Amino acid sequence: MSTGFPASRSLAQWLPDLALGFENLASHKLRSLLTMLGMIFGVAAVVAMLSIGAGAQQKVMAFIEQLGVRNVIVEAKEAHNYQELQKVRKNSPGLKLTDYQIIRQNVSHIQSGTPRKRFAPSKILPKPQQDTPVVYGVEPSYLEIGHLRVTDGRFFDESDDAAAAPVCVLGAAAKDSLFGASPAVGEYIKLNDQWCHVIGMVAPQMSPQSEVSGVRTEDMNNLIYAPLNSVRYRLEDSQSWLKDEIDGMYLHLASPDTSTTDAEVVRGILNSSHHNAGDFSVIVPAELLAEQKRTEQLFNTVMVAIAAISLLVGGIGIMNIMLAAILERTREIGVRRAMGARRSDIVRQFVIEAVLISFAGGFLGVVMGFALSKMIAWFAGWSTIVTISSILLAFLVSISVGLIFGTYPAVKAARLDPVEAIRYE
């Protein structure tokens, strides 16, 4: 019984002040609302801006994770015309299968890998309803390396690649573009002059919305996967004379911890065989992911700093209103002091009113910020995500501002002389 007495007494002290605080705010509705505006807009800005940042970062980070934090990716920088090609060929033979084989022999941490040969067919049947799909010639190991998930049929295997079999697997967008709602597995498509048997389909994948440090900005769903040897020996590329023997390679490592050092070894091998021609780039998704996390933290810090300025303005508004309220209620304060109220009671009363204003402003700001986030997503087509952390942050900051800026007026009210306060008109 004795342990519960202090708590119940404390609650008995706070409840009347809460009721009085609600009563005072309700009696001046317009003034209370105007006081809250700074809080409302500040909190709404925090929630809306952080939702935009969270949405953008989530897509980029999901795409980077899809690339694989245990992968190292090499991309050839293709020449766009004959003069550019000749300039590069003076120093470098281009990216070749021998480069891939040498790397596999000299980097011990590689568990699996695949070269890649890609091209856009000049002729394709059935006629695509959307953009022409791009063909990826890869080895069967790309199924695991590229985090593909077969939804219908199967992926090609080692025997298909060894025999250069005319088979292919469709990405989600490529299937819709070529066959619409009709089943695709078992059908045939014509790539340039070669008919290929469709043996499978893969699930939709994330695609980069903007350039990500050297990664191609192509639709990862509008792809046709075929065995590497089938692409090399059966499918003719009309611009093959402008391109390297292969245009990329994927190296799957045993651990992401060695990705940076292994990437340096790969760069060293290629720079040696390409005579520092700079006709390739090495992409390390683990590094990109760490960089994006740092960028996200910096963005959040900047957004919070900007929003803090808005909340600071709101806090100044609360202080001004509370100081004005002291003048209006000087006589009331004097009467309460004369009736035995302590200074701590007066401080508690005014701090409660300040916190109520900031709490109500924070709540309305969260609602407005959530609505703004949805409107931005609807009208601008951006991905926005309202996170629990942004809501908690906005609430904590708004209540803290109420406490900080409400304390000075409360202390000033408590220091009023009771006799002078009663005489105040």
Side-chain angles (χ1 to χ4, degrees):
M1 294 294 291
S2 60
T3 56
F5 178 71
S8 61
R9 185 175 64 182
S10 177
L11 185 61
Q13 289 175 340
W14 281 87
L15 285 176
D17 289 329
L18 279 171
L20 184 60
F22 278 115
E23 182 182 339
N24 287 327
L25 294 179
S27 62
H28 300 88
K29 296 182 181 65
L30 181 60
R31 186 175 70 182
S32 300
L33 180 60
L34 292 175
T35 308
M36 293 177 192
L37 284 180
M39 284 293 156
I40 292 172
F41 290 127
V43 171
V46 173
V47 173
M49 288 190 293
L50 290 181
S51 74
I52 294 171
Q57 288 294 327
Q58 187 193 57
K59 278 201 167 184
V60 173
M61 293 175 76
F63 175 70
I64 293 173
E65 287 175 351
Q66 178 182 283
L67 291 177
V69 293
R70 289 169 55 188
N71 293 342
V72 172
I73 303 169
V74 179
E75 290 278 358
K77 296 178 181 178
E78 296 176 352
H80 297 92
N81 52 60
Y82 182 73
Q83 289 77 14
E84 184 180 347
L85 178 67
Q86 288 297 102
K87 185 178 179 180
V88 173
R89 286 292 180 267
K90 288 180 181 179
N91 297 315
S92 170
L95 202 61
K96 294 183 173 294
L97 280 171
T98 52
D99 290 324
Y100 172 74
Q101 292 160 358
I102 291 171
I103 289 171
R104 287 297 303 267
Q105 292 168 4
N106 288 275
V107 182
S108 59
H109 297 129
I110 298 176
Q111 277 192 337
S112 62
T114 174
R116 185 197 68 210
K117 179 73 174 175
R118 65 184 290 278
F119 74 95
S122 56
K123 295 180 291 183
I124 186 169
L125 290 175
K127 187 176 181 181
Q129 300 302 309
Q130 306 295 330
D131 294 337
T132 301
V134 174
V135 176
Y136 267 28
V138 290
E139 293 179 352
S141 57
Y142 185 79
L143 177 66
E144 178 186 359
I145 295 172
H147 297 94
L148 300 182
R149 181 171 60 87
V150 177
T151 57
D152 192 14
R154 66 176 181 88
F155 205 73
F156 47 82
D157 54 26
E158 297 290 347
S159 61
D160 294 321
D161 189 39
V167 295
C168 64
V169 176
L170 303 182
K175 183 267 177 189
D176 292 339
S177 180
L178 295 172
F179 295 98
S182 303
V185 175
E187 299 293 331
Y188 286 84
I189 60 174
K190 190 175 185 180
L191 302 174
N192 290 341
D193 296 320
Q194 175 68 54
W195 286 98
C196 292
H197 185 209
V198 179
I199 61 172
M201 276 183 53
V202 295
Q205 289 189 291
M206 291 285 297
S207 294
Q209 302 297 312
S210 58
E211 186 173 348
V212 181
S213 300
V215 181
R216 295 180 181 275
T217 55
E218 62 189 358
D219 185 355
M220 298 303 294
N221 294 304
N222 197 27
L223 297 177
I224 299 173
Y225 303 96
L228 178 63
N229 286 329
S230 303
V231 171
R232 292 180 62 212
Y233 300 127
R234 288 182 179 271
L235 303 177
E236 179 184 356
D237 187 355
S238 60
Q239 292 187 326
S240 59
W241 61 277
L242 274 178
K243 300 182 180 180
D244 299 344
E245 184 181 6
I246 59 175
D247 62 11
M249 61 181 78
Y250 300 88
L251 309 171
H252 189 60
L253 308 178
S255 169
D257 299 334
T258 62
S259 59
T260 301
T261 54
D262 288 340
E264 288 302 319
V265 174
V266 170
R267 285 191 186 97
I269 293 171
L270 293 177
N271 278 327
S272 177
S273 60
H274 290 220
H275 303 97
N276 295 311
D279 58 342
F280 66 90
S281 59
V282 178
I283 301 162
V284 186
E287 292 180 353
L288 296 181
L289 189 62
E291 182 181 343
Q292 283 298 322
K293 287 180 178 178
R294 290 192 295 269
T295 302
E296 182 180 21
Q297 291 174 350
L298 178 61
F299 176 85
N300 289 340
T301 302
V302 172
M303 290 299 100
V304 170
I306 293 172
I309 296 173
S310 302
L311 292 174
L312 178 64
V313 174
I316 294 171
I318 290 177
M319 181 183 286
N320 288 335
I321 293 299
M322 297 304 294
L323 288 172
I326 291 171
L327 292 176
E328 288 183 6
R329 296 162 60 186
T330 300
R331 188 176 181 83
E332 174 196 332
I333 294 168
V335 171
R336 287 197 64 189
R337 289 298 309 280
M339 294 178 65
R342 294 168 299 178
R343 285 187 175 182
S344 61
D345 297 326
I346 304 300
V347 170
R348 184 169 60 248
Q349 177 188 344
F350 280 88
V351 167
I352 284 175
E353 290 184 20
V355 171
L356 284 175
I357 289 174
S358 60
F359 182 86
F363 176 77
L364 293 175
V366 168
V367 173
M368 180 179 286
F370 188 82
L372 280 174
S373 174
K374 294 300 180 184
M375 288 174 63
I376 291 169
W378 179 267
F379 289 108
W382 297 349
S383 174
T384 58
I385 300 172
V386 178
T387 61
I388 298 296
S389 59
S390 66
I391 293 174
L392 291 176
L393 176 66
F395 254 125
L396 287 174
V397 173
S398 64
I399 292 173
S400 299
V401 166
L403 280 171
I404 294 169
F405 286 92
T407 300
Y408 172 71
V411 172
K412 184 176 181 180
R415 288 177 177 174
L416 289 176
D417 183 84
V419 176
E420 295 298 325
I422 291 174
R423 291 176 181 175
Y424 184 82
E425 295 294 337

